[in-house]
Structure formats: C-alpha cells, structure tokens
C-alpha cells in the first residue's frame, strides 16, 4: 500500500471510531420492500423502533430488527457501557441494491419469461443524543 493510500485509510478509520454502524449484505428481498421498513424507523429512538419492528407484519422488519440490535451492541461495545432508554436514536439508515439473480420461467408457446430475483444491502448508523447541544440551542 502506498503512503498516500495508507494515510487516507487511517483518516477513514479514525473518523469511523465514533460511529456505531451495522451492515447487512445480500438480503434476498427487493430493495423497495426493505426501504419501506427503513422509512418506518428512520430518526426514531432505538427502543421505540425495536417495538415498531417487533409488531410489524413485514418479513423485512425481522431482518431490520436483527440489524438494529447489532448496531446497538456495536455502540455499547465502543462506549463500554449499556444503552439506556431515550439515549440512542437511528441517525442514518439506507438501502442499496445488491446483485440480481436472473432466472427463466417457462411461458406458453415455447417462450421464456425472465425472472429477476433482487437483493439489497442495508446500512444502519446509531448515535447518542447530545444533551449539551440541546441545552445550548434552547438557551
């Protein structure tokens, strides 16, 4: 690795030290379905979001719940303490398109219809509310 790349890699690594994130790759559902669930919880307090995901009927919400628990655990690991109610919120959640499997289905008169089995990648970032900043903005 060259010096310039190493320096930029170290900067990237240093900037990610304070961020607690979790990623989920190659989820076998369409990005559109996963984005619907991501939009439900974006910006919420984490324990409230866990409740929303727990009682949602969507299959994507099960995967998102597991990812959120992982992000909370990552935050606790980095900060060396347990998360309290009302302390953490979902800062960012986004869904990107993953690889698409292309399959063929038989159709009438010797034809074939193409089936696209989509997948997605989900990234979720959890952060703590800053009490000091809120008090300064209120004064």
């Amino acid at each position: 690795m060259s010096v310039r790349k190493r320096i930029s890699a170290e900067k990237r690594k240093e900037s990610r030290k304070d961020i607690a994130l979790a990623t989920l790759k190659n989820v076998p559902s369409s990005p559109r379905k996963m984005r619907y669930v991501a939009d439900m919880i974006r910006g919420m307090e984490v324990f409230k979001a866990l409740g929303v995901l727990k009682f949602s009927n969507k299959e994507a919400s099960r995967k998102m719940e597991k990812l959120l628990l992982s992000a909370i655990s990552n935050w606790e690991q980095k900060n060396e303490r347990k998360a309290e109610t009302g302390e953490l919120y979902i800062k960012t959640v986004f869904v990107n398109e993953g690889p698409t499997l292309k399959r063929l289905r038989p159709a009438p008169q010797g034809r074939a219809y193409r089936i696209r089995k989509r997948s997605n990648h989900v990234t979720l970032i959890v952060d703590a509310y800053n009490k000091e900043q809120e008090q300064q903005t209120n004064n």
Side-chain angles (χ1 to χ4, degrees), residues 43-89:
M44 269 189 184
E45 193 267 324
V46 291
F47 294 108
K48 184 178 177 185
L50 280 173
V52 168
L53 293 172
K54 183 86 170 165
F55 295 105
S56 174
N57 291 329
K58 304 228 169 268
E59 178 62 32
S61 67
R62 310 284 174 263
K63 310 237 188 230
M64 190 70 78
E65 180 183 6
K66 195 171 181 181
L67 182 68
L68 181 55
L69 287 170
S70 176
I72 294 168
S73 176
N74 290 343
W75 184 89
E76 288 173 348
Q77 190 81 26
K78 285 188 177 186
N79 293 298
E80 299 173 352
R81 62 188 180 94
K82 296 291 272 180
E84 297 174 11
T85 305
E87 183 179 14
L88 296 178
Y89 73 102

Side-chain angles (χ1 to χ4, degrees), residues 104-114:
L104 294 175
R105 169 155 293 164
Q109 298 181 357
R111 295 189 190 98
Y113 292 153
R114 179 170 282 179

Side-chain angles (χ1 to χ4, degrees), residues 8 19 29 72 81 115 117 121-122 126:
S8 66
I19 297 173
S29 71
I72 294 168
R81 62 188 180 94
I115 303 258
K117 295 187 175 187
H121 306 310
V122 186
V126 171

Side-chain angles (χ1 to χ4, degrees), residues 4 18 24 64 83 120:
R4 186 182 54 167
D18 303 332
L24 187 61
M64 190 70 78
N120 62 62

